[in-house]
Amino acid sequence: QVQLVESGGGSVQAGGSLRLACVASGYSYSSNSMAWFRQAPGKEREGVAARDSDGSTTYADSVKGRFTISQDNAKNTLYLQMNNLLPEDTAMYYCAAGRTYIQPLGYIDSFDFDIWGQGTQVTVSS
């Protein structure tokens, strides 16, 4: 079973940057997509960015132009570079893996992901 462990969260001021990392271990699960989700208190979990195994990417409109998802296969690591952070980006961020190709769908839904990490907190102050 694949295990996902996130890191890189923290507290920053608005306009700052953070890079999240998600290390995958265990190889009994073959994923076709990986993604970052976030959930703020009292809100539903939101798909932020996804990357399919062919390299295609999908982003939520709220983060386009500010966030970049990437993957280093040699390190089994998924990244989320977050620039120009806003207070509304404050949330717990989760890494997820799934078998559905996301780019053809055009949206990122938690229903399409089977494996989840424990999350890393991002707090952006104004």
Side-chain angles (χ1 to χ4, degrees):
Q1 182 72 307
V2 171
Q3 290 185 328
L4 304 176
V5 179
E6 303 95 334
S7 63
S11 297
V12 296
Q13 290 190 329
S17 298
L18 284 173
R19 188 176 78 156
L20 306 184
C22 170
V23 178
S25 61
Y27 300 95
S28 62
Y29 179 88
S30 178
S31 66
N32 292 318
S33 60
M34 295 194 71
W36 289 97
F37 287 78
R38 66 186 180 187
Q39 188 167 20
K43 294 188 177 181
E44 292 187 357
R45 189 168 293 192
E46 173 191 19
V48 174
R51 186 182 185 281
D52 293 343
S53 56
D54 63 0
S56 57
T57 57
T58 304
Y59 293 94
D61 288 343
S62 58
V63 305
K64 283 181 181 177
R66 300 189 298 121
F67 290 12
T68 303
I69 188 171
S70 61
Q71 190 165 356
D72 185 335
N73 291 326
K75 296 182 179 180
N76 296 319
T77 302
L78 182 74
Y79 298 101
L80 185 68
Q81 178 66 44
M82 306 186 294
N83 298 328
N84 191 22
L85 282 161
L86 305 171
E88 48 263 46
D89 294 319
T90 295
M92 184 71 78
Y93 283 71
Y94 299 90
C95 172
R99 291 193 172 96
T100 302
Y101 287 97
I102 301 302
Q103 195 275 336
L105 300 177
Y107 58 85
I108 308 166
D109 193 319
S110 59
F111 179 81
D112 294 312
F113 293 87
D114 308 307
I115 309 297
W116 293 84
Q118 294 299 308
T120 186
Q121 177 69 37
V122 172
T123 302
V124 185
S125 59
S126 57

mmCIF file with all atom_site columns, all heavy atoms in Angstrom, residues 68-89:
data_model
loop_
_atom_site.group_PDB
_atom_site.id
_atom_site.type_symbol
_atom_site.label_atom_id
_atom_site.label_alt_id
_atom_site.label_comp_id
_atom_site.label_asym_id
_atom_site.label_entity_id
_atom_site.label_seq_id
_atom_site.pdbx_PDB_ins_code
_atom_site.Cartn_x
_atom_site.Cartn_y
_atom_site.Cartn_z
_atom_site.occupancy
_atom_site.B_iso_or_equiv
_atom_site.pdbx_formal_charge
_atom_site.auth_seq_id
_atom_site.auth_comp_id
_atom_site.auth_asym_id
_atom_site.auth_atom_id
_atom_site.pdbx_PDB_model_num
ATOM 1   N N   . THR A 1 68 ? 2.244  25.987 -8.589  1.00 0.00 ? 68 THR A N   1
ATOM 2   C CA  . THR A 1 68 ? 2.766  25.080 -9.610  1.00 0.00 ? 68 THR A CA  1
ATOM 3   C C   . THR A 1 68 ? 2.959  23.701 -9.004  1.00 0.00 ? 68 THR A C   1
ATOM 4   O O   . THR A 1 68 ? 3.636  23.566 -7.976  1.00 0.00 ? 68 THR A O   1
ATOM 5   C CB  . THR A 1 68 ? 4.098  25.576 -10.179 1.00 0.00 ? 68 THR A CB  1
ATOM 6   O OG1 . THR A 1 68 ? 3.928  26.889 -10.719 1.00 0.00 ? 68 THR A OG1 1
ATOM 7   C CG2 . THR A 1 68 ? 4.587  24.651 -11.272 1.00 0.00 ? 68 THR A CG2 1
ATOM 8   N N   . ILE A 1 69 ? 2.381  22.690 -9.649  1.00 0.00 ? 69 ILE A N   1
ATOM 9   C CA  . ILE A 1 69 ? 2.561  21.312 -9.198  1.00 0.00 ? 69 ILE A CA  1
ATOM 10  C C   . ILE A 1 69 ? 3.638  20.657 -10.057 1.00 0.00 ? 69 ILE A C   1
ATOM 11  O O   . ILE A 1 69 ? 3.709  20.876 -11.274 1.00 0.00 ? 69 ILE A O   1
ATOM 12  C CB  . ILE A 1 69 ? 1.230  20.524 -9.275  1.00 0.00 ? 69 ILE A CB  1
ATOM 13  C CG1 . ILE A 1 69 ? 1.374  19.157 -8.613  1.00 0.00 ? 69 ILE A CG1 1
ATOM 14  C CG2 . ILE A 1 69 ? 0.729  20.420 -10.704 1.00 0.00 ? 69 ILE A CG2 1
ATOM 15  C CD1 . ILE A 1 69 ? 0.038  18.423 -8.453  1.00 0.00 ? 69 ILE A CD1 1
ATOM 16  N N   . SER A 1 70 ? 4.497  19.882 -9.418  1.00 0.00 ? 70 SER A N   1
ATOM 17  C CA  . SER A 1 70 ? 5.554  19.195 -10.147 1.00 0.00 ? 70 SER A CA  1
ATOM 18  C C   . SER A 1 70 ? 5.874  17.885 -9.432  1.00 0.00 ? 70 SER A C   1
ATOM 19  O O   . SER A 1 70 ? 5.434  17.655 -8.298  1.00 0.00 ? 70 SER A O   1
ATOM 20  C CB  . SER A 1 70 ? 6.810  20.061 -10.254 1.00 0.00 ? 70 SER A CB  1
ATOM 21  O OG  . SER A 1 70 ? 7.324  20.359 -8.973  1.00 0.00 ? 70 SER A OG  1
ATOM 22  N N   . GLN A 1 71 ? 6.640  17.052 -10.113 1.00 0.00 ? 71 GLN A N   1
ATOM 23  C CA  . GLN A 1 71 ? 6.934  15.737 -9.551  1.00 0.00 ? 71 GLN A CA  1
ATOM 24  C C   . GLN A 1 71 ? 8.349  15.340 -9.901  1.00 0.00 ? 71 GLN A C   1
ATOM 25  O O   . GLN A 1 71 ? 8.807  15.548 -11.022 1.00 0.00 ? 71 GLN A O   1
ATOM 26  C CB  . GLN A 1 71 ? 5.934  14.709 -10.090 1.00 0.00 ? 71 GLN A CB  1
ATOM 27  C CG  . GLN A 1 71 ? 5.962  13.361 -9.420  1.00 0.00 ? 71 GLN A CG  1
ATOM 28  C CD  . GLN A 1 71 ? 4.719  12.545 -9.742  1.00 0.00 ? 71 GLN A CD  1
ATOM 29  O OE1 . GLN A 1 71 ? 3.801  13.016 -10.401 1.00 0.00 ? 71 GLN A OE1 1
ATOM 30  N NE2 . GLN A 1 71 ? 4.664  11.313 -9.257  1.00 0.00 ? 71 GLN A NE2 1
ATOM 31  N N   . ASP A 1 72 ? 9.059  14.772 -8.934  1.00 0.00 ? 72 ASP A N   1
ATOM 32  C CA  . ASP A 1 72 ? 10.386 14.224 -9.137  1.00 0.00 ? 72 ASP A CA  1
ATOM 33  C C   . ASP A 1 72 ? 10.273 12.716 -8.953  1.00 0.00 ? 72 ASP A C   1
ATOM 34  O O   . ASP A 1 72 ? 10.223 12.229 -7.822  1.00 0.00 ? 72 ASP A O   1
ATOM 35  C CB  . ASP A 1 72 ? 11.377 14.829 -8.136  1.00 0.00 ? 72 ASP A CB  1
ATOM 36  C CG  . ASP A 1 72 ? 12.809 14.374 -8.390  1.00 0.00 ? 72 ASP A CG  1
ATOM 37  O OD1 . ASP A 1 72 ? 13.007 13.296 -8.974  1.00 0.00 ? 72 ASP A OD1 1
ATOM 38  O OD2 . ASP A 1 72 ? 13.724 15.114 -7.990  1.00 0.00 ? 72 ASP A OD2 1
ATOM 39  N N   . ASN A 1 73 ? 10.210 11.987 -10.066 1.00 0.00 ? 73 ASN A N   1
ATOM 40  C CA  . ASN A 1 73 ? 9.992  10.542 -9.977  1.00 0.00 ? 73 ASN A CA  1
ATOM 41  C C   . ASN A 1 73 ? 11.165 9.821  -9.316  1.00 0.00 ? 73 ASN A C   1
ATOM 42  O O   . ASN A 1 73 ? 10.978 8.808  -8.631  1.00 0.00 ? 73 ASN A O   1
ATOM 43  C CB  . ASN A 1 73 ? 9.722  9.970  -11.366 1.00 0.00 ? 73 ASN A CB  1
ATOM 44  C CG  . ASN A 1 73 ? 8.387  10.422 -11.918 1.00 0.00 ? 73 ASN A CG  1
ATOM 45  O OD1 . ASN A 1 73 ? 7.429  10.599 -11.174 1.00 0.00 ? 73 ASN A OD1 1
ATOM 46  N ND2 . ASN A 1 73 ? 8.312  10.626 -13.222 1.00 0.00 ? 73 ASN A ND2 1
ATOM 47  N N   . ALA A 1 74 ? 12.358 10.349 -9.515  1.00 0.00 ? 74 ALA A N   1
ATOM 48  C CA  . ALA A 1 74 ? 13.536 9.716  -8.911  1.00 0.00 ? 74 ALA A CA  1
ATOM 49  C C   . ALA A 1 74 ? 13.468 9.764  -7.390  1.00 0.00 ? 74 ALA A C   1
ATOM 50  O O   . ALA A 1 74 ? 13.998 8.883  -6.707  1.00 0.00 ? 74 ALA A O   1
ATOM 51  C CB  . ALA A 1 74 ? 14.800 10.399 -9.403  1.00 0.00 ? 74 ALA A CB  1
ATOM 52  N N   . LYS A 1 75 ? 12.815 10.782 -6.859  1.00 0.00 ? 75 LYS A N   1
ATOM 53  C CA  . LYS A 1 75 ? 12.689 10.944 -5.408  1.00 0.00 ? 75 LYS A CA  1
ATOM 54  C C   . LYS A 1 75 ? 11.311 10.537 -4.901  1.00 0.00 ? 75 LYS A C   1
ATOM 55  O O   . LYS A 1 75 ? 11.029 10.677 -3.710  1.00 0.00 ? 75 LYS A O   1
ATOM 56  C CB  . LYS A 1 75 ? 12.973 12.394 -5.011  1.00 0.00 ? 75 LYS A CB  1
ATOM 57  C CG  . LYS A 1 75 ? 14.394 12.857 -5.306  1.00 0.00 ? 75 LYS A CG  1
ATOM 58  C CD  . LYS A 1 75 ? 14.604 14.291 -4.838  1.00 0.00 ? 75 LYS A CD  1
ATOM 59  C CE  . LYS A 1 75 ? 16.035 14.743 -5.102  1.00 0.00 ? 75 LYS A CE  1
ATOM 60  N NZ  . LYS A 1 75 ? 16.270 16.136 -4.655  1.00 0.00 ? 75 LYS A NZ  1
ATOM 61  N N   . ASN A 1 76 ? 10.452 10.057 -5.812  1.00 0.00 ? 76 ASN A N   1
ATOM 62  C CA  . ASN A 1 76 ? 9.082  9.698  -5.429  1.00 0.00 ? 76 ASN A CA  1
ATOM 63  C C   . ASN A 1 76 ? 8.400  10.828 -4.680  1.00 0.00 ? 76 ASN A C   1
ATOM 64  O O   . ASN A 1 76 ? 7.709  10.602 -3.667  1.00 0.00 ? 76 ASN A O   1
ATOM 65  C CB  . ASN A 1 76 ? 9.080  8.431  -4.573  1.00 0.00 ? 76 ASN A CB  1
ATOM 66  C CG  . ASN A 1 76 ? 9.570  7.224  -5.326  1.00 0.00 ? 76 ASN A CG  1
ATOM 67  O OD1 . ASN A 1 76 ? 9.239  7.034  -6.490  1.00 0.00 ? 76 ASN A OD1 1
ATOM 68  N ND2 . ASN A 1 76 ? 10.393 6.413  -4.684  1.00 0.00 ? 76 ASN A ND2 1
ATOM 69  N N   . THR A 1 77 ? 8.589  12.039 -5.167  1.00 0.00 ? 77 THR A N   1
ATOM 70  C CA  . THR A 1 77 ? 8.103  13.212 -4.451  1.00 0.00 ? 77 THR A CA  1
ATOM 71  C C   . THR A 1 77 ? 7.268  14.110 -5.354  1.00 0.00 ? 77 THR A C   1
ATOM 72  O O   . THR A 1 77 ? 7.656  14.393 -6.488  1.00 0.00 ? 77 THR A O   1
ATOM 73  C CB  . THR A 1 77 ? 9.271  14.013 -3.857  1.00 0.00 ? 77 THR A CB  1
ATOM 74  O OG1 . THR A 1 77 ? 10.030 13.166 -2.986  1.00 0.00 ? 77 THR A OG1 1
ATOM 75  C CG2 . THR A 1 77 ? 8.772  15.207 -3.061  1.00 0.00 ? 77 THR A CG2 1
ATOM 76  N N   . LEU A 1 78 ? 6.135  14.531 -4.827  1.00 0.00 ? 78 LEU A N   1
ATOM 77  C CA  . LEU A 1 78 ? 5.259  15.504 -5.476  1.00 0.00 ? 78 LEU A CA  1
ATOM 78  C C   . LEU A 1 78 ? 5.435  16.837 -4.764  1.00 0.00 ? 78 LEU A C   1
ATOM 79  O O   . LEU A 1 78 ? 5.531  16.868 -3.536  1.00 0.00 ? 78 LEU A O   1
ATOM 80  C CB  . LEU A 1 78 ? 3.803  15.056 -5.368  1.00 0.00 ? 78 LEU A CB  1
ATOM 81  C CG  . LEU A 1 78 ? 2.749  15.918 -6.036  1.00 0.00 ? 78 LEU A CG  1
ATOM 82  C CD1 . LEU A 1 78 ? 2.799  15.734 -7.555  1.00 0.00 ? 78 LEU A CD1 1
ATOM 83  C CD2 . LEU A 1 78 ? 1.360  15.579 -5.497  1.00 0.00 ? 78 LEU A CD2 1
ATOM 84  N N   . TYR A 1 79 ? 5.498  17.912 -5.540  1.00 0.00 ? 79 TYR A N   1
ATOM 85  C CA  . TYR A 1 79 ? 5.692  19.243 -4.961  1.00 0.00 ? 79 TYR A CA  1
ATOM 86  C C   . TYR A 1 79 ? 4.517  20.166 -5.298  1.00 0.00 ? 79 TYR A C   1
ATOM 87  O O   . TYR A 1 79 ? 3.828  19.984 -6.302  1.00 0.00 ? 79 TYR A O   1
ATOM 88  C CB  . TYR A 1 79 ? 6.970  19.883 -5.500  1.00 0.00 ? 79 TYR A CB  1
ATOM 89  C CG  . TYR A 1 79 ? 8.232  19.135 -5.173  1.00 0.00 ? 79 TYR A CG  1
ATOM 90  C CD1 . TYR A 1 79 ? 8.851  18.310 -6.120  1.00 0.00 ? 79 TYR A CD1 1
ATOM 91  C CD2 . TYR A 1 79 ? 8.828  19.246 -3.921  1.00 0.00 ? 79 TYR A CD2 1
ATOM 92  C CE1 . TYR A 1 79 ? 10.008 17.624 -5.831  1.00 0.00 ? 79 TYR A CE1 1
ATOM 93  C CE2 . TYR A 1 79 ? 9.993  18.556 -3.623  1.00 0.00 ? 79 TYR A CE2 1
ATOM 94  C CZ  . TYR A 1 79 ? 10.577 17.749 -4.581  1.00 0.00 ? 79 TYR A CZ  1
ATOM 95  O OH  . TYR A 1 79 ? 11.718 17.065 -4.283  1.00 0.00 ? 79 TYR A OH  1
ATOM 96  N N   . LEU A 1 80 ? 4.357  21.167 -4.443  1.00 0.00 ? 80 LEU A N   1
ATOM 97  C CA  . LEU A 1 80 ? 3.446  22.268 -4.752  1.00 0.00 ? 80 LEU A CA  1
ATOM 98  C C   . LEU A 1 80 ? 4.153  23.555 -4.389  1.00 0.00 ? 80 LEU A C   1
ATOM 99  O O   . LEU A 1 80 ? 4.346  23.856 -3.201  1.00 0.00 ? 80 LEU A O   1
ATOM 100 C CB  . LEU A 1 80 ? 2.124  22.146 -3.991  1.00 0.00 ? 80 LEU A CB  1
ATOM 101 C CG  . LEU A 1 80 ? 1.089  23.209 -4.357  1.00 0.00 ? 80 LEU A CG  1
ATOM 102 C CD1 . LEU A 1 80 ? 0.591  23.002 -5.798  1.00 0.00 ? 80 LEU A CD1 1
ATOM 103 C CD2 . LEU A 1 80 ? -0.100 23.177 -3.380  1.00 0.00 ? 80 LEU A CD2 1
ATOM 104 N N   . GLN A 1 81 ? 4.583  24.287 -5.405  1.00 0.00 ? 81 GLN A N   1
ATOM 105 C CA  . GLN A 1 81 ? 5.193  25.603 -5.200  1.00 0.00 ? 81 GLN A CA  1
ATOM 106 C C   . GLN A 1 81 ? 4.080  26.631 -5.136  1.00 0.00 ? 81 GLN A C   1
ATOM 107 O O   . GLN A 1 81 ? 3.301  26.766 -6.074  1.00 0.00 ? 81 GLN A O   1
ATOM 108 C CB  . GLN A 1 81 ? 6.160  25.932 -6.340  1.00 0.00 ? 81 GLN A CB  1
ATOM 109 C CG  . GLN A 1 81 ? 6.803  27.302 -6.222  1.00 0.00 ? 81 GLN A CG  1
ATOM 110 C CD  . GLN A 1 81 ? 7.736  27.417 -5.030  1.00 0.00 ? 81 GLN A CD  1
ATOM 111 O OE1 . GLN A 1 81 ? 8.527  26.524 -4.765  1.00 0.00 ? 81 GLN A OE1 1
ATOM 112 N NE2 . GLN A 1 81 ? 7.649  28.524 -4.305  1.00 0.00 ? 81 GLN A NE2 1
ATOM 113 N N   . MET A 1 82 ? 4.012  27.340 -4.022  1.00 0.00 ? 82 MET A N   1
ATOM 114 C CA  . MET A 1 82 ? 2.956  28.323 -3.810  1.00 0.00 ? 82 MET A CA  1
ATOM 115 C C   . MET A 1 82 ? 3.571  29.704 -3.681  1.00 0.00 ? 82 MET A C   1
ATOM 116 O O   . MET A 1 82 ? 4.333  29.959 -2.735  1.00 0.00 ? 82 MET A O   1
ATOM 117 C CB  . MET A 1 82 ? 2.150  27.971 -2.546  1.00 0.00 ? 82 MET A CB  1
ATOM 118 C CG  . MET A 1 82 ? 1.606  26.550 -2.557  1.00 0.00 ? 82 MET A CG  1
ATOM 119 S SD  . MET A 1 82 ? 0.527  26.193 -1.165  1.00 0.00 ? 82 MET A SD  1
ATOM 120 C CE  . MET A 1 82 ? 1.703  26.310 0.184   1.00 0.00 ? 82 MET A CE  1
ATOM 121 N N   . ASN A 1 83 ? 3.268  30.572 -4.613  1.00 0.00 ? 83 ASN A N   1
ATOM 122 C CA  . ASN A 1 83 ? 3.773  31.941 -4.621  1.00 0.00 ? 83 ASN A CA  1
ATOM 123 C C   . ASN A 1 83 ? 2.639  32.934 -4.436  1.00 0.00 ? 83 ASN A C   1
ATOM 124 O O   . ASN A 1 83 ? 1.467  32.601 -4.656  1.00 0.00 ? 83 ASN A O   1
ATOM 125 C CB  . ASN A 1 83 ? 4.493  32.224 -5.940  1.00 0.00 ? 83 ASN A CB  1
ATOM 126 C CG  . ASN A 1 83 ? 5.700  31.343 -6.152  1.00 0.00 ? 83 ASN A CG  1
ATOM 127 O OD1 . ASN A 1 83 ? 6.382  30.946 -5.205  1.00 0.00 ? 83 ASN A OD1 1
ATOM 128 N ND2 . ASN A 1 83 ? 5.988  31.044 -7.400  1.00 0.00 ? 83 ASN A ND2 1
ATOM 129 N N   . ASN A 1 84 ? 2.999  34.140 -4.032  1.00 0.00 ? 84 ASN A N   1
ATOM 130 C CA  . ASN A 1 84 ? 2.001  35.204 -3.833  1.00 0.00 ? 84 ASN A CA  1
ATOM 131 C C   . ASN A 1 84 ? 0.827  34.698 -3.001  1.00 0.00 ? 84 ASN A C   1
ATOM 132 O O   . ASN A 1 84 ? -0.338 34.841 -3.373  1.00 0.00 ? 84 ASN A O   1
ATOM 133 C CB  . ASN A 1 84 ? 1.513  35.719 -5.191  1.00 0.00 ? 84 ASN A CB  1
ATOM 134 C CG  . ASN A 1 84 ? 0.687  36.985 -5.064  1.00 0.00 ? 84 ASN A CG  1
ATOM 135 O OD1 . ASN A 1 84 ? 0.803  37.704 -4.070  1.00 0.00 ? 84 ASN A OD1 1
ATOM 136 N ND2 . ASN A 1 84 ? -0.164 37.241 -6.041  1.00 0.00 ? 84 ASN A ND2 1
ATOM 137 N N   . LEU A 1 85 ? 1.153  34.120 -1.869  1.00 0.00 ? 85 LEU A N   1
ATOM 138 C CA  . LEU A 1 85 ? 0.118  33.539 -1.023  1.00 0.00 ? 85 LEU A CA  1
ATOM 139 C C   . LEU A 1 85 ? -0.817 34.599 -0.471  1.00 0.00 ? 85 LEU A C   1
ATOM 140 O O   . LEU A 1 85 ? -0.402 35.740 -0.175  1.00 0.00 ? 85 LEU A O   1
ATOM 141 C CB  . LEU A 1 85 ? 0.764  32.760 0.118   1.00 0.00 ? 85 LEU A CB  1
ATOM 142 C CG  . LEU A 1 85 ? 1.306  31.383 -0.288  1.00 0.00 ? 85 LEU A CG  1
ATOM 143 C CD1 . LEU A 1 85 ? 2.325  30.876 0.722   1.00 0.00 ? 85 LEU A CD1 1
ATOM 144 C CD2 . LEU A 1 85 ? 0.162  30.394 -0.436  1.00 0.00 ? 85 LEU A CD2 1
ATOM 145 N N   . LEU A 1 86 ? -2.075 34.219 -0.324  1.00 0.00 ? 86 LEU A N   1
ATOM 146 C CA  . LEU A 1 86 ? -3.128 35.089 0.169   1.00 0.00 ? 86 LEU A CA  1
ATOM 147 C C   . LEU A 1 86 ? -3.696 34.515 1.469   1.00 0.00 ? 86 LEU A C   1
ATOM 148 O O   . LEU A 1 86 ? -3.637 33.298 1.684   1.00 0.00 ? 86 LEU A O   1
ATOM 149 C CB  . LEU A 1 86 ? -4.244 35.193 -0.868  1.00 0.00 ? 86 LEU A CB  1
ATOM 150 C CG  . LEU A 1 86 ? -3.836 35.640 -2.269  1.00 0.00 ? 86 LEU A CG  1
ATOM 151 C CD1 . LEU A 1 86 ? -5.002 35.491 -3.237  1.00 0.00 ? 86 LEU A CD1 1
ATOM 152 C CD2 . LEU A 1 86 ? -3.347 37.083 -2.232  1.00 0.00 ? 86 LEU A CD2 1
ATOM 153 N N   . PRO A 1 87 ? -4.278 35.350 2.322   1.00 0.00 ? 87 PRO A N   1
ATOM 154 C CA  . PRO A 1 87 ? -4.882 34.820 3.553   1.00 0.00 ? 87 PRO A CA  1
ATOM 155 C C   . PRO A 1 87 ? -5.901 33.721 3.281   1.00 0.00 ? 87 PRO A C   1
ATOM 156 O O   . PRO A 1 87 ? -6.025 32.775 4.082   1.00 0.00 ? 87 PRO A O   1
ATOM 157 C CB  . PRO A 1 87 ? -5.528 36.057 4.179   1.00 0.00 ? 87 PRO A CB  1
ATOM 158 C CG  . PRO A 1 87 ? -4.674 37.187 3.714   1.00 0.00 ? 87 PRO A CG  1
ATOM 159 C CD  . PRO A 1 87 ? -4.289 36.833 2.306   1.00 0.00 ? 87 PRO A CD  1
ATOM 160 N N   . GLU A 1 88 ? -6.597 33.790 2.162   1.00 0.00 ? 88 GLU A N   1
ATOM 161 C CA  . GLU A 1 88 ? -7.600 32.767 1.850   1.00 0.00 ? 88 GLU A CA  1
ATOM 162 C C   . GLU A 1 88 ? -6.988 31.436 1.426   1.00 0.00 ? 88 GLU A C   1
ATOM 163 O O   . GLU A 1 88 ? -7.702 30.455 1.235   1.00 0.00 ? 88 GLU A O   1
ATOM 164 C CB  . GLU A 1 88 ? -8.570 33.255 0.769   1.00 0.00 ? 88 GLU A CB  1
ATOM 165 C CG  . GLU A 1 88 ? -7.906 33.875 -0.442  1.00 0.00 ? 88 GLU A CG  1
ATOM 166 C CD  . GLU A 1 88 ? -7.866 35.394 -0.361  1.00 0.00 ? 88 GLU A CD  1
ATOM 167 O OE1 . GLU A 1 88 ? -7.494 35.933 0.712   1.00 0.00 ? 88 GLU A OE1 1
ATOM 168 O OE2 . GLU A 1 88 ? -8.184 36.039 -1.387  1.00 0.00 ? 88 GLU A OE2 1
ATOM 169 N N   . ASP A 1 89 ? -5.666 31.387 1.300   1.00 0.00 ? 89 ASP A N   1
ATOM 170 C CA  . ASP A 1 89 ? -4.980 30.115 1.039   1.00 0.00 ? 89 ASP A CA  1
ATOM 171 C C   . ASP A 1 89 ? -4.748 29.326 2.331   1.00 0.00 ? 89 ASP A C   1
ATOM 172 O O   . ASP A 1 89 ? -4.288 28.185 2.285   1.00 0.00 ? 89 ASP A O   1
ATOM 173 C CB  . ASP A 1 89 ? -3.633 30.356 0.360   1.00 0.00 ? 89 ASP A CB  1
ATOM 174 C CG  . ASP A 1 89 ? -3.775 30.944 -1.036  1.00 0.00 ? 89 ASP A CG  1
ATOM 175 O OD1 . ASP A 1 89 ? -4.681 30.508 -1.779  1.00 0.00 ? 89 ASP A OD1 1
ATOM 176 O OD2 . ASP A 1 89 ? -2.976 31.843 -1.373  1.00 0.00 ? 89 ASP A OD2 1
#
